Amino acid sequence: MLTPSSPADAVIAHLKTLAAENNLAGMARFGIETATALGIANPALKRVARLIKRDHDRALTLWESNIREARLLAALTAEPQKLTLETARQWAGDFSSWEIVDSVADLFVAARLEALLIPEFAADDREFVRRAGFSMIAVSAVHLKKEPDETIIAWLPLIEAYAGDERNFVKKAVNWALRQTGKRSARCHGPALSLAQALAVRQDRTARWIGKDAVRELTSSAVLKRLGFQPQSE
């Protein structure tokens, strides 16, 4: 039985007992990198994370295993206050799947590294590193509730600058960042919607898709009602 004191090798050995190769094909259909995957579903991984709890040194060792599930556990059980910029950049260099990126984005924001890493990662040409920058914007918009809205709004120029990146995992993250910014608050909604509307009429196909999709959500009755606006007439 795993406990908070279980070492990384015991955790990995346990993960291997949970391997489910029949899940790999389904994961691949969702764009998850399965070359190092054991096929364990995320609910089962979260149960393991609850058993072993946080241990930063163990999380670093789990990451080094290069096993998909071990890396997801590393993101779930690392200690945010101990995460360094050096480790964050090292992990980013290992990114090869949107799923890992988005899980680690939560950790990077919890570690309060977003102010430095968002602009740095957004400017990085590597697909999954750039995705990480925009995933962090989306995560910040949702979870940094005590941060001033202006902090989130200040990242809109990054969204505008990289809205033309047609790579699938980048454009979806840029779109996600724009939508989450607009849904954060009434204060954020206007600037995000204005940018979405501007992107929606761009000649660039990728920017146009990002903009139109964001406009659709940000003008929906559900979003407008939640933010305290009068929904538009149908």
Side-chain angles (χ1 to χ4, degrees):
M1 183 68 171
L2 294 177
T3 70
S5 62
S6 295
D9 58 353
V11 174
I12 291 172
H14 180 73
L15 290 176
K16 289 180 178 178
T17 70
L18 302 177
E21 291 187 6
N22 56 312
N23 288 336
L24 295 178
M27 289 178 174
R29 284 196 294 273
F30 282 97
I32 293 172
E33 174 56 54
T34 60
T36 66
L38 299 173
I40 305 171
N42 285 339
L45 279 178
K46 289 179 180 179
R47 286 194 290 272
V48 174
R50 287 194 292 271
L51 285 174
I52 64 175
K53 304 192 183 300
R54 293 190 182 273
D55 183 308
H56 199 70
D57 289 338
R58 183 181 58 207
L60 296 177
T61 304
L62 289 172
W63 184 271
E64 289 302 317
S65 73
N66 195 31
I67 298 170
R68 167 199 173 256
E69 287 78 2
R71 285 190 164 177
L72 288 172
L73 274 182
L76 290 169
T77 62
E79 297 174 70
Q81 70 275 17
K82 294 184 180 180
L83 188 72
T84 66
L85 278 169
E86 180 183 6
T87 296
R89 288 169 177 145
Q90 176 195 333
W91 285 18
D94 294 334
F95 288 158
S96 60
S97 175
W98 68 265
E99 178 195 36
I100 297 290
V101 169
D102 293 356
S103 297
V104 173
D106 284 321
L107 173 65
F108 288 177
V109 172
R112 298 312 311 264
L113 300 178
E114 76 286 341
L116 288 170
L117 293 183
I118 284 174
E120 177 182 322
F121 285 179
D124 196 297
D125 287 334
R126 291 171 291 179
E127 181 175 9
F128 290 108
V129 179
R130 181 168 290 171
R131 180 185 175 91
F134 291 100
S135 294
M136 279 190 282
I137 293 177
V139 170
S140 297
V142 173
H143 294 298
L144 297 186
K145 299 184 185 301
K146 294 182 180 180
E147 195 70 24
D149 285 339
E150 282 66 28
T151 299
I152 311 300
I153 292 169
W155 290 322
L156 286 175
L158 286 175
I159 293 173
E160 182 175 16
Y162 294 102
D165 191 326
E166 65 184 6
R167 292 174 293 180
N168 186 51
F169 295 116
V170 174
K171 76 176 184 180
K172 287 186 175 180
V174 173
N175 171 261
W176 181 30
L178 180 55
R179 289 185 292 107
Q180 293 303 112
T181 297
K183 292 189 294 180
R184 174 183 169 89
S185 67
R187 172 72 184 90
C188 290
H189 183 268
L193 178 58
S194 293
L195 175 55
Q197 290 168 331
L199 295 177
V201 296
R202 283 250 191 107
Q203 290 188 338
D204 181 87
R205 181 176 62 181
T206 301
R208 194 164 62 245
W209 175 83
I210 289 170
K212 285 184 175 180
D213 186 73
V215 167
R216 186 180 305 114
E217 181 162 5
L218 296 180
T219 57
S220 68
S221 296
V223 169
L224 293 174
K225 183 177 180 180
R226 184 173 67 80
L227 295 178
F229 297 120
Q230 183 66 36
Q232 298 174 351
S233 300
E234 297 290 340

